[in-house]
């Protein structure tokens, strides 16, 4: 089991093509991120730069992507070298200890906060993100949902993954995500359970004045391509939660 993405960087990049990532994850994030004309944006835990590039495409003048994994940053830089967007910069770094002070209009993070092992680490993450923002700046994030009912033991295999929690639902319990590829191979990702209240407390303590939890939305194309029934389980019992905060 690993939270070190170096060995699974390519596998993870391939898994970004799963339909739910396009028709729910990316679609919902696009709704939450307005046009960024000329603004500055930070992508924490940027991975291979999937959303870093998207933030640039949405009009941000300058985007910095930060990730702990050197291999992920290498993949992000390789894509920038192949198809340069300009205005995009990638750095290896820890999202708990960001070197920015009031620099960004928008901070973004996809699957970063769920790497906090406990409330102390979550606080460090939220503090670092809040500190990086200008006053009035926004933080948009998607993570494993703290509201997911693991006891119900639902299968998400039809979407290309399964989730289970080790040792019961409690602070810091490891959540194992088994991600299946189209060829039937799979890899596992481990992150950690922290409940909704722990998140709320951390956001407030970091200085965010507004905290909004947003429901996943399905793109019209996704509904048309797969049918509403296919998406019902995901939309009724989402495994991911979107959060929007204002500093
Ligand atoms: C599930 S991937 C998401 C990557 C990207 N945000 C995306 O959605 O494609 C999680 C990423 O978080 C990074 N990560 C985990 N802990 C981190 C930390 N403390 N600081 C920066 N990056 C971190 C991992 O290296 C990995 O690239």
């Amino acid at each position: 089991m690993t939270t070190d993405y170096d060995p699974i960087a390519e596998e993870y990049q391939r898994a970004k093509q799963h339909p739910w990532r396009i028709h729910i994850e990316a679609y919902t994030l696009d709704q939450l991120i307005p046009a960024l004309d000329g603004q500055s944006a930070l992508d924490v835990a940027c991975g291979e730069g999937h959303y870093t590039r998207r933030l640039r495409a949405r009009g941000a003048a300058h985007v910095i992507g930060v990730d702990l994994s050197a291999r992920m940053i290498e993949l992000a830089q390789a894509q920038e070298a192949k198809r340069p967007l300009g205005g995009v910069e990638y750095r290896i770094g820890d999202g708990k200890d960001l070197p920015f002070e009031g620099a960004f209009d928008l901070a973004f993070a996809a699957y970063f906060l769920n790497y906090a092992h406990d409330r102390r680490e979550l606080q460090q993450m939220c503090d670092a993100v809040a500190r990086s923002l200008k006053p009035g700046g926004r933080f948009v994030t998607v993570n494993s949902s703290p509201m997911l009912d693991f006891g119900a033991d639902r299968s998400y295999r039809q979407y290309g993954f399964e989730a289970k929690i080790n040792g019961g639902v409690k602070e810091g319990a490891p959540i194992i995500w088994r991600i299946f590829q189209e060829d039937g191979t799979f890899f596992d990702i481990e992150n950690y359970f922290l409940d909704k209240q722990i998140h709320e407390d951390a956001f407030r303590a970091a200085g965010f004045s507004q905290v909004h939890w947003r429901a996943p939305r399905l793109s019209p194309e996704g509904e048309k391509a797969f049918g509403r029934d296919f998406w019902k389980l995901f939309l009724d019992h989402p495994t991911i939660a979107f959060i929007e905060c204002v500093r």
Side-chain angles (χ1 to χ4, degrees), residues 3-6 12 16 21 25 43-51 66-69 72 93-96 108-112 114-115 121 125 142 189 191:
T3 48
D4 177 354
Y5 274 69
D6 285 356
Y12 186 78
K16 283 303 263 192
R21 308 207 73 158
E25 178 190 296
D43 183 5
V44 189
C46 65
E48 48 78 40
H50 181 84
Y51 284 111
V66 177
D67 199 284
L68 210 48
S69 159
M72 282 293 204
D94 189 339
K96 298 192 292 297
F108 173 87
Y111 311 107
F112 167 52
N114 45 215
Y115 283 99
E121 223 178 323
M125 291 174 173
V142 59
I189 292 176
N191 51 40

Side-chain angles (χ1 to χ4, degrees), residues 135-153:
R138 288 197 313 135
F139 177 37
V140 173
T141 182
V142 59
N143 299 286
S144 315
S145 173
M147 286 80 85
L148 184 62
D149 178 7
F150 286 98
D153 204 23

